[in-house]
Amino acid sequence: MEAERQLRPEDAVELNPNYHFRWEEPQQAHVLLYPEGIVKLNETAAAILEACTGSASIADGSAELARRYNKRNIGAEVLKFLEVAHAKGWIRVKS
């Protein structure tokens, strides 16, 4: 089953169409809105979702984050977060 497959750095991911990612002024945070509620994201989660859902691959998004925050070897941490987001249904692999 697709949802059970582990993500790979070469995968391209996108937000699940049931979720809407945006800045919520009253929350002073980025959030994921969905029909049943809202998920308030911390700064790191928001940066990962923004970079990786807007890139050609998870590896490209990780490289952008590494440059932006002057960090090295963050690919494994980014992938780990995205695997959780994938399991929760927030993102999916682009087909």
Side-chain angles (χ1 to χ4, degrees):
M1 179 179 230
E2 164 68 23
E4 295 176 9
R5 178 177 75 75
Q6 281 196 318
L7 296 177
R8 298 180 301 248
E10 63 271 14
D11 287 332
V13 293
E14 64 188 358
L15 282 176
N16 178 325
N18 294 326
Y19 289 83
H20 181 68
F21 175 75
R22 73 175 194 195
W23 174 259
E24 191 73 18
E25 193 63 37
Q27 300 281 338
Q28 286 294 296
H30 282 93
V31 298
L32 284 175
L33 299 172
Y34 61 106
E36 296 85 22
I38 186 171
V39 177
K40 183 177 178 181
L41 301 170
N42 67 28
E43 193 175 323
T44 303
I48 293 170
L49 286 177
E50 183 177 47
C52 292
T53 59
S55 294
S57 69
I58 293 170
D60 290 344
S62 295
E64 167 58 30
L65 290 165
R67 281 189 297 276
R68 187 185 309 171
Y69 296 104
N70 197 25
K71 298 273 186 181
R72 297 169 80 174
N73 303 320
I74 64 169
E77 292 173 37
V78 169
L79 190 58
K80 187 176 183 179
F81 169 78
L82 290 173
E83 285 176 347
V84 171
H86 186 244
K88 291 182 179 209
W90 299 350
I91 61 170
R92 63 184 185 181
V93 177
K94 287 184 185 177
S95 38

